[in-house]
Amino acid sequence: MNLDAYLDRIGYAGPRTPTLPTLRAIARLHATTIPFENLSVLVDGPPDLDLPALEAKLVDAGRGGYCYEQNGLLAAALAALGFRVQGLSARVRYGVPPDVVTPRSHRLMSVETIEGTAFADAGFGGLTLTAPVMLRWHEEQDTPHERVRLVPAGNDFLLQALVGDAWTDVYRFDLAVHLPPDYVQQNWHTATRPNGLFDNNLIAAMPMPEGRYALFNRTLTWRSLAGEKERTEVRSKAELREVLGELFSI
């Protein structure tokens, strides 16, 4: 991996030691620099997850991607810095009724630090983590954006985020290790299944210091750190280009 180019891309100039402060800084900068977006899925179908392809798109071309791309790149960077990284997979619970069982369709990772095991995730759209989360039950943990916690869900961890004044389910996962072929299969299914989210809708998201922007087709939403929402409609191709360029750096 061209680690120098990646660190330049996210604007990181700190120590290159595998410590928790390094992990926190990189998790924040990656999430606030490389946009979450699915434009390639809409145009070309499943994106290439090989590292050279991820670097060419997300680093060299200044583009973004969705979870398989974002977390593939982040995992490679953390490994290059000396962290022990393991791939994980989650079942999305955000916006899903409690009685609906979802497949493992979201990529994330565990990261070993001296302080203990954390998990990191640079690719969950409007709730992308801007800090690593320590794998501890029930402990409320602050991030630059939402407060989060992990609670039991059977034998799994359930990530919840405090959105406004309500704890919201985000996704559930365990510590079973996933390998590159697992993500190739999940990536293909996520990008091609009939009536799927990512091959039928235009999606982009970006955390900012004061809140988060999210674009879903023609609807642009701004959510402040306090949870207040403001929605506007994108009315033309020219407005769409402006929104993608100025707000999401695409």
Side-chain angles (χ1 to χ4, degrees):
M1 181 182 188
N2 187 341
L3 185 60
D4 290 340
Y6 169 80
L7 296 178
D8 286 345
R9 169 78 166 100
I10 66 172
Y12 179 77
R16 299 191 182 190
T17 51
T19 64
L20 186 57
T22 299
L23 176 61
R24 284 177 174 151
I26 289 177
R28 177 181 60 83
L29 288 169
H30 182 122
T32 56
T33 304
I34 303 179
F36 182 95
E37 49 115 333
N38 73 324
L39 274 70
S40 295
V41 176
L42 282 177
V43 175
D44 296 321
D48 189 343
L49 302 185
D50 288 341
L51 183 57
L54 297 180
E55 291 183 284
K57 181 186 176 190
L58 278 68
V59 177
D60 301 335
R63 286 283 306 283
Y66 70 167
C67 72
Y68 298 105
E69 300 167 282
Q70 297 273 7
N71 287 323
L73 181 66
L74 178 59
L78 294 178
L81 288 165
F83 287 98
R84 182 173 179 267
V85 182
Q86 300 278 17
L88 306 177
S89 189
R91 303 180 189 274
V92 174
R93 301 309 310 161
Y94 184 65
V96 178
D99 59 335
V100 174
V101 179
T102 57
R104 296 181 188 273
S105 62
H106 178 64
R107 179 174 183 169
L108 62 153
M109 72 200 78
S110 66
V111 186
E112 297 300 324
T113 73
I114 294 176
E115 292 83 356
T117 302
F119 82 91
D121 179 4
F124 198 76
L127 282 174
T128 289
L129 289 173
T130 50
V133 177
M134 304 306 293
L135 284 171
R136 298 169 184 159
W137 294 118
H138 297 291
E139 178 182 319
E140 295 185 11
Q141 302 181 48
D142 289 325
T143 77
H145 290 77
E146 297 79 16
R147 179 172 292 183
V148 299
R149 67 184 182 186
L150 294 169
V151 298
N155 294 322
D156 297 345
F157 294 91
L158 175 64
L159 175 67
Q160 295 182 324
L162 188 60
V163 180
D165 58 358
W167 284 102
T168 301
D169 293 348
V170 182
Y171 51 71
R172 59 184 290 176
F173 64 97
D174 59 23
L175 301 183
V177 176
H178 284 63
L179 303 176
D182 301 316
Y183 295 130
V184 170
Q185 184 180 57
Q186 292 177 13
N187 176 47
W188 181 87
H189 178 265
T190 301
T192 63
R193 68 183 179 88
N195 301 316
L197 177 66
F198 292 107
D199 62 338
N200 289 283
N201 300 282
L202 172 61
I203 301 170
M206 195 76 165
M208 304 290 182
E210 301 84 13
R212 296 179 182 269
Y213 279 111
L215 177 68
F216 188 82
N217 294 322
R218 292 180 177 270
T219 302
L220 176 66
T221 301
W222 165 254
R223 178 166 57 83
S224 71
L225 295 181
E228 300 169 346
K229 287 186 177 182
E230 178 183 337
R231 290 189 173 92
T232 56
E233 291 300 306
V234 179
R235 295 167 295 181
S236 67
K237 292 179 181 179
E239 284 190 8
L240 177 60
R241 291 190 187 98
E242 183 178 358
V243 166
L244 291 175
E246 293 188 3
L247 300 183
F248 301 101
S249 300
I250 301 171

